[in-house]
Amino acid sequence: MKVLFISQYFFPEQMSNNNLAKQLAAREHQVSVYTAVPNYPAGEFFEGYSNNARRSDTWEGVDIWRARTIPRGKSRLQLFLNYLVFPLTAGLKVLWGKGRPDVIFVSQLSPILMVIPGILQKWKTGTGLVYWVQDLWPESATYTLGVRSRLVVGMLENLCGYLYRQADIVLVQSAAFREKMVQFGVPDDRIRVLPNTAPQSYRPLTPKEAPDYCDRIPQNGFRLMFAGNIGESQDFDTIISAAGLLRDFENLHWVIVGSGRDEERVKRVLAERGLGDRFHFLGRFPEEEMPKLFAHADAMLVSLKDTSIFSLTVPYKVQCYLACGKPILASLNGEGARIISESGAGIAVDAERPELLAEAIRQMLSESPEQRYRFGEAARRYFDQNYAAEIVYKKLESALKDAAAVR
């Protein structure tokens, strides 16, 4: 099939979109991606990219066209503008563009407005349209942008409902999203669950198999690693408070892989509380390097704020941690916590409860190496049974073929 893949976030940004498009191309589909100039999560254009440079590219058999955008920056105003510009510039590309895809696939994170170019393409060519809903709107917007007005929230509810109903098939990353889609008026028979998988290179590795990072990560004590975006949603305040409660555990190393809008504030708070020497900020790494970094961790950490929207969400890093066979410590609610508990891969506690997170870490520290190994085995087993690439891509191809038949 000729697949028009639309998402505001794509390579070189580290997103699940990358592997999904790569695998579709590997399965002999012709994939063209409309995306934005890369600037997530730091809020600045990546080196070598701008609104005038590298607007088109080819990567892993995927053709990429990048729409002009305003970087996310550090303020809510700039983030709001970032949300508005992509649907306009990508929408113009759709209206001016030639050719007719067999199916349109929109990987919808925040903002939901990124579905608009897909709707325009559907109107223009009559092509079937598939959404993959990974961030549920308007809840995500009201939290991220701090929207409190009932009038504005009501308008967003109506807009989001209209946009969701334009899809021929709505894929949701979590079964907990289904009820909300039905409330928006999407027929139940159009809704399917498509969870995240992990890149095929994500597998359990030993430290000996990843010697490149021995000098970057402590090789003694207990290494608790967080990998991903450092933002408000990831609730580093709870992590910092838990670290304060565990101040006496001198052999506990907090290893942070990634970057984000909240990074400088987090470092400042750690310094103020005298915890800076306990945390090791390694920065961003290419996605393919992540399993090698994970190899040097004794356990992985995932955290989210205590909000209704996040309780419905399964963070992409959870599948990545499971795929690499790592014990998981989690400070989050809802679906993500349920999966970690159900899999037997680790310990999940309520979000925004630093005392509970600290106690869970103490428990993991007290476990024998054999028990931590069993956590890791359970993690990989659960991944193979529920999130393996063949399972996920079979569901995706089925949805794309069904939507293509709509035309």
Side-chain angles (χ1 to χ4, degrees):
M1 293 179 288
K2 293 181 180 179
V3 181
L4 175 57
F5 189 121
I6 298 173
S7 186
Q8 193 163 331
Y9 311 99
F10 198 72
F11 179 85
E13 296 165 328
Q14 294 187 20
M15 311 295 295
S16 58
N17 290 338
N18 304 346
N19 194 53
L20 190 147
K22 175 182 173 181
Q23 292 302 319
L24 284 175
R27 285 165 167 73
E28 299 185 353
H29 300 293
Q30 184 178 326
V31 183
S32 299
V33 174
Y34 287 1
T35 187
V37 178
N39 65 98
Y40 177 88
E44 301 175 354
F45 287 145
F46 283 31
E47 185 176 355
Y49 294 85
S50 73
N51 283 325
N52 298 311
R54 296 192 70 173
R55 294 280 306 284
S56 60
D57 210 345
T58 301
W59 172 78
E60 298 287 356
V62 176
D63 294 323
I64 305 171
W65 180 83
R66 299 185 177 93
R68 295 179 185 273
T69 192
I70 294 175
R72 295 165 63 91
K74 301 295 184 182
S75 69
R76 287 182 175 177
L77 174 60
Q78 196 162 345
L79 180 63
F80 177 71
L81 294 173
N82 172 268
Y83 282 1
L84 287 180
V85 170
F86 175 76
L88 294 174
T89 53
L92 289 173
K93 170 67 175 177
V94 164
L95 294 175
W96 292 340
K98 298 180 180 179
R100 186 176 187 179
D102 296 314
V103 65
I104 309 155
F105 177 76
V106 182
S107 179
Q108 184 248 299
L109 295 108
S110 288
I112 191 178
L113 300 177
M114 68 177 69
V115 306
I116 291 174
I119 295 172
L120 293 175
Q121 182 71 56
K122 178 181 178 179
W123 289 350
K124 179 181 176 182
T125 60
T127 305
L129 175 61
V130 178
Y131 296 164
W132 186 27
V133 181
Q134 300 186 70
D135 282 353
L136 191 58
W137 272 56
E139 287 82 354
S140 184
T142 56
Y143 171 76
T144 304
L145 298 174
V147 177
R148 296 291 181 266
S149 167
R150 291 186 179 181
L151 176 62
V152 174
V153 171
M155 293 172 62
L156 284 172
E157 287 274 359
N158 290 332
L159 172 63
C160 293
Y162 171 78
L163 294 175
Y164 283 129
R165 291 192 296 272
Q166 303 313 299
D168 298 292
I169 295 175
V170 177
L171 304 172
V172 291
Q173 64 107 296
S174 162
F177 282 17
R178 180 184 290 273
E179 182 179 350
K180 188 66 176 179
M181 290 296 108
V182 171
Q183 290 175 4
F184 278 130
V186 179
D188 189 68
D189 60 359
R190 289 193 201 174
I191 306 168
R192 307 180 190 181
V193 178
L194 183 76
N196 275 298
T197 182
Q200 291 182 315
S201 61
Y202 278 52
R203 58 186 178 85
L205 294 175
T206 65
K208 289 182 179 181
E209 294 174 297
D212 296 348
Y213 296 104
C214 289
D215 59 339
R216 301 289 301 274
I217 300 171
Q219 295 299 300
N220 59 352
F222 187 92
R223 295 143 313 169
L224 180 57
M225 182 179 290
F226 174 97
N229 183 38
I230 305 173
E232 293 180 12
S233 302
Q234 285 67 41
D235 190 24
F236 265 76
D237 288 329
T238 290
I239 294 173
I240 294 169
S241 295
L245 295 171
L246 297 169
R247 188 186 299 269
D248 293 339
F249 289 79
E250 296 181 358
N251 287 329
L252 172 59
H253 300 283
W254 303 76
V255 183
I256 312 299
V257 180
S259 62
R261 290 159 55 92
D262 204 31
E263 182 176 356
E264 292 309 312
R265 185 195 70 87
V266 168
K267 289 180 177 178
R268 185 175 66 252
V269 173
L270 287 169
E272 290 170 355
R273 299 190 185 183
L275 295 168
D277 61 336
R278 304 295 179 87
F279 281 72
H280 309 266
F281 289 85
L282 305 188
R284 288 173 37 243
F285 289 83
E287 187 173 56
E288 60 270 17
E289 294 297 300
M290 299 307 284
K292 299 177 185 178
L293 290 155
F294 293 1
H296 296 276
D298 295 291
M300 306 301 296
L301 176 63
V302 55
S303 61
L304 284 175
K305 286 274 193 179
D306 179 13
T307 68
S308 58
I309 175 61
F310 294 150
S311 70
L312 304 178
T313 301
V314 181
Y316 172 52
K317 61 168 60 70
V318 169
Q319 279 90 353
C320 294
Y321 292 173
L322 293 169
C324 289
K326 304 303 295 187
I328 301 173
L329 286 160
S331 171
L332 75 173
N333 297 333
E335 278 294 286
R338 180 190 66 79
I339 286 169
I340 292 164
S341 298
E342 182 178 278
S343 66
I347 306 169
V349 300
D350 294 344
E352 296 191 32
R353 295 288 301 276
E355 72 281 5
L356 296 183
L357 177 58
E359 182 56 37
I361 295 170
R362 287 192 191 96
Q363 183 178 338
M364 186 65 76
L365 283 165
S366 69
E367 298 287 3
S368 66
E370 292 76 19
Q371 177 56 47
R372 291 202 289 267
Y373 181 77
R374 285 193 286 271
F375 280 137
E377 280 191 320
R380 180 66 204 199
R381 184 165 56 248
Y382 192 86
F383 176 85
D384 288 337
Q385 293 170 350
N386 296 275
Y387 305 123
E390 286 305 315
I391 295 173
V392 172
Y393 294 128
K394 184 177 181 180
K395 292 179 179 180
L396 174 61
E397 284 188 304
S398 175
L400 293 177
K401 289 177 182 177
D402 290 346
V406 171
R407 192 179 75 177

